[in-house]
Amino acid sequence: MSDKKELQVAALKNGTVIDHIPSDRLFTVVSLLDLKHMDTNITIGNNFESKKLGKKGIIKIADRFFTDEEISKLSVVAPNVKLNIIRDYEVVEKKQVVMPDELKGIVKCNNPKCITNNEPMQTWFHVIDKEKGLLKCHYCEKEQLKDNIKLL
Amino acid sequence: MKTVNMENRSLVTIANHSKERILYLLEMAKEFEKKPNRRLLAEKVVATLFFEPSTRTRLSFETAANRLGARVIGFTDPKVTSSSKGETLKDTIMMVSNYADIIVMRHYLEGAARYASEIAPVPIVNAGDGANQHPSQTMLDLYSIYKTQGTLENLNIYLVGDLKYGRTVHSLLMAMRHFNPTFHFIAPTELKMPEEYKLYCKEHSIKYIEHTDFTEDTIADADILYMTRVQRERFTDLMEYERVKDTYILNSRMLEKTRPNLRILHPLPRVNEITYDVDESPKAYYFQQAQNGLYAREAILCDVLGITLDEVRADTNR
Ligand SMILES: [Zn+2]
């Protein structure tokens, strides 16, 4: 592999770099951001060494900038990811993921007797405590911790 | 015909009702107690959809609808279970919305009424959704307390029996937060009041005291004694059940030291937690409590259809 090719993968003129993704969550992040349906250059790397995480994943997306709402979805699976916003090869902004006030259609309710687990419909959670990751199902009203919850 | 904005008129829970809103509905129930038979819902069709059987609740709602002059359609389907579902809830609700002006529904799944209220073009009244909410029961409990004590303020309320799974006691506790109650939780260790409700009490400055014993001394200061069933199947330790099963039974001897204004409530059906000699006591109130359900439900049906207290008061049609 030539130096030039490596550079082409590494450098991003404009776009977003998502860093510090836990390796086992990388493909979940890919699907939550719906990268499958983007047609710009996307580089996905995984199992890089990380002091904090052991192994981490990185995603570089050219010419795409996410709204806070779009990235807030990641708070459930990868709350510590860092986003670098690149313009003209420079990092112009760093963003962290903030837990949103509500989660719609992202996670599954833990309660087997909840209507959302028995009817073709979207789940809906109210975030009660962002620090603890405490969620309350809008429908069955059961409170649950995000760590115990499954993605849809 | 008057058009009313149907949005959010549904009754899914009263957990978030303000004090004013609760008192308003109780005032309306009082009007219906004075005169239960009215024509306020003439030409309306009320659907009662019971995805899980509950004869008492269904009869009470259907009587309320009939006494208001409405016609009633509906079903009770004991065969519908979570394992053998056919049509989706949404399809059933949309279909029935074509026929009825209001849907009273009971469902074995939690959150079913909330979901139905979001998709239905007509108002939904929750008649119980699994272990979650049963607002008309709470309204009739509140009405019974209000009527027998003359107020909801500053009362000593004793909740006895299964406080872990008892949906009615949890809803009552939350609805009483506006009225400065002192609660006494009397339950076997296995069925004691869950932490989340004790936390709720702390957050809302509701005083409570926990007991495991249930004697005439424990209940001497009670204004309201709310009895519930202690069911065998709720215990993981059956030895524990055998040990405590006779502890949470109220008999007439235990009433000797109690306050004259004490009234005994029970959501019914009872099994053996209140002995039959208590029925003779003027303090036994559980049958009247069930009757109050009729007035509370008449108020609920009118309220969700946008009929106001003033309109009920102004109604003089026979
Ligand atoms: Zn739920």
Side-chain angles (χ1 to χ4, degrees):
Chain A
M1 207 187 279
S2 76
D3 279 7
K4 202 184 169 198
K5 232 179 188 173
E6 257 184 29
L7 196 69
Q8 197 181 15
V9 172
L12 190 61
K13 187 176 183 211
N14 291 300
T16 306
V17 177
I18 307 173
D19 200 357
H20 298 287
I21 305 167
S23 279
D24 58 340
R25 302 291 173 86
L26 178 76
F27 290 100
T28 312
V29 170
V30 168
S31 92
L32 279 176
L33 293 176
D34 200 23
L35 299 188
K36 199 161 86 178
H37 296 107
M38 281 179 203
D39 51 12
T40 59
N41 275 326
I42 300 175
T43 313
I44 298 173
N46 203 9
N47 299 323
F48 293 110
E49 267 178 48
S50 159
K51 274 178 195 155
K52 255 191 270 173
L53 300 167
K55 282 180 172 180
K56 67 170 185 178
I58 296 179
I59 303 172
K60 299 183 183 186
I61 307 147
D63 304 317
R64 183 73 164 85
F65 305 95
F66 295 92
T67 63
D68 289 349
E69 199 202 327
E70 285 172 309
I71 59 170
S72 70
K73 289 188 213 169
L74 304 182
S75 61
V76 184
V77 290
N80 299 315
V81 301
K82 303 269 185 308
L83 283 87
N84 294 302
I85 316 301
I86 315 282
R87 292 194 196 271
D88 206 14
Y89 300 103
E90 299 277 332
V91 177
V92 294
E93 193 187 346
K94 287 176 183 281
K95 275 190 183 180
Q96 272 180 297
V97 175
V98 179
M99 178 80 98
D101 296 329
E102 296 192 333
L103 295 169
K104 283 190 175 179
I106 299 170
V107 288
K108 192 175 173 308
C109 182
N110 267 336
N111 174 9
K113 285 191 72 192
C114 179
I115 185 72
T116 60
N117 288 317
N118 296 274
E119 180 84 4
M121 61 185 285
Q122 200 181 41
T123 63
W124 181 356
F125 287 87
H126 302 281
V127 179
I128 304 290
D129 188 327
K130 294 187 184 188
E131 294 269 287
K132 289 187 202 151
L134 186 64
L135 314 176
K136 184 176 187 173
C137 177
H138 173 73
Y139 293 99
C140 73
E141 305 182 27
K142 289 270 181 306
E143 290 186 359
Q144 35 213 301
L145 286 167
K146 76 169 174 53
D147 299 340
N148 303 330
I149 221 164
K150 281 201 194 79
L151 283 174
L152 275 170
Chain B
M1 207 168 81
K2 208 174 75 171
T3 49
V4 180
N5 177 16
M6 290 302 179
E7 212 157 323
N8 294 324
R9 288 223 67 89
S10 293
L11 180 69
V12 175
T13 171
I14 62 161
N16 302 319
H17 274 26
S18 67
K19 182 173 181 170
E20 292 67 35
R21 182 107 179 88
I22 288 173
L23 291 172
Y24 172 87
L25 288 170
L26 295 180
E27 282 307 314
M28 206 191 275
K30 208 163 141 185
E31 295 297 320
F32 287 114
E33 177 160 15
K34 284 185 212 156
K35 190 165 95 127
N37 297 325
R38 296 166 185 258
R39 306 288 303 159
L40 290 163
L41 298 194
E43 291 168 36
K44 298 281 187 203
V45 174
V46 174
T48 56
L49 308 187
F50 278 60
F51 296 87
E52 150 187 275
S54 173
T55 308
R56 266 160 231 284
T57 305
R58 187 171 58 83
L59 289 179
S60 181
F61 267 113
E62 291 185 354
T63 306
N66 276 297
R67 290 197 179 276
L68 289 166
R71 275 159 294 176
V72 178
I73 60 169
F75 60 75
T76 291
D77 195 347
K79 290 187 298 294
V80 178
T81 65
S82 46
S83 57
S84 71
K85 62 172 180 179
E87 194 176 41
T88 61
L89 174 62
K90 180 178 182 177
D91 288 6
T92 307
I93 292 293
M94 296 311 279
M95 182 264 296
V96 175
S97 296
N98 292 328
Y99 309 141
D101 299 289
I102 177 171
I103 296 173
V104 177
M105 66 176 275
R106 177 156 184 128
H107 206 286
Y108 49 88
L109 292 172
E110 289 144 29
R114 169 77 63 196
Y115 177 59
S117 75
E118 289 170 355
I119 54 171
V122 301
I124 300 286
V125 173
N126 186 4
D129 61 325
N132 190 29
Q133 301 286 342
H134 192 5
S136 66
Q137 176 71 45
T138 312
M139 280 308 301
L140 78 90
D141 289 345
L142 291 171
Y143 186 63
S144 299
I145 297 171
Y146 185 57
K147 194 172 134 185
T148 60
Q149 307 298 316
T151 177
L152 290 175
E153 304 282 348
N154 310 318
L155 296 171
N156 292 335
I157 301 178
Y158 288 58
L159 307 175
V160 185
D162 179 358
L163 306 186
K164 184 173 180 186
Y165 300 101
R167 163 178 70 182
T168 55
V169 295
H170 301 156
S171 303
L172 181 61
L173 183 149
M174 292 165 84
M176 285 301 295
R177 74 183 180 283
H178 305 295
F179 305 102
N180 189 38
T182 301
F183 277 104
H184 290 254
F185 303 149
I186 303 176
T189 312
E190 267 214 53
L191 300 180
K192 70 187 178 93
M193 186 60 80
E195 283 306 319
E196 62 174 298
Y197 291 103
K198 289 193 260 178
L199 195 64
Y200 184 89
C201 287
K202 283 172 194 153
E203 283 167 359
H204 293 85
S205 308
I206 300 171
K207 299 179 284 295
Y208 69 86
I209 299 155
E210 290 185 278
H211 309 262
T212 49
D213 54 327
F214 181 49
T215 65
E216 54 180 317
D217 294 316
T218 336
I219 60 172
D221 288 328
D223 297 311
I224 292 291
L225 196 54
Y226 197 105
M227 301 294 298
T228 64
R229 284 186 298 287
V230 173
Q231 292 163 285
R232 191 171 185 267
E233 57 268 28
R234 297 297 196 193
F235 284 80
T236 49
D237 181 356
L238 287 180
M239 297 273 283
E240 168 76 0
Y241 171 75
E242 291 301 326
R243 208 171 56 74
V244 304
K245 68 174 183 189
D246 295 329
T247 311
Y248 303 93
I249 294 176
L250 181 70
N251 60 57
S252 60
R253 233 180 341 96
M254 292 169 70
L255 297 175
E256 279 166 22
K257 287 188 191 172
T258 55
R259 291 182 172 184
N261 65 306
L262 170 74
R263 290 297 177 272
I264 303 154
L265 304 186
H266 189 299
L268 302 181
R270 84 176 134 173
V271 185
N272 63 346
E273 55 279 357
I274 301 175
T275 60
Y276 288 94
D277 56 350
V278 177
D279 296 0
E280 310 305 319
S281 165
K283 295 174 181 176
Y285 194 73
Y286 25 93
F287 297 119
Q288 294 98 311
Q289 178 190 3
Q291 189 182 19
N292 290 337
L294 172 64
Y295 314 131
R297 289 177 175 118
E298 287 190 83
I300 288 168
L301 290 178
C302 284
D303 183 63
V304 296
L305 283 168
I307 297 166
T308 64
L309 178 57
D310 286 342
E311 286 171 303
V312 174
R313 282 179 173 150
D315 164 63
T316 48
N317 295 334
R318 292 277 138 195

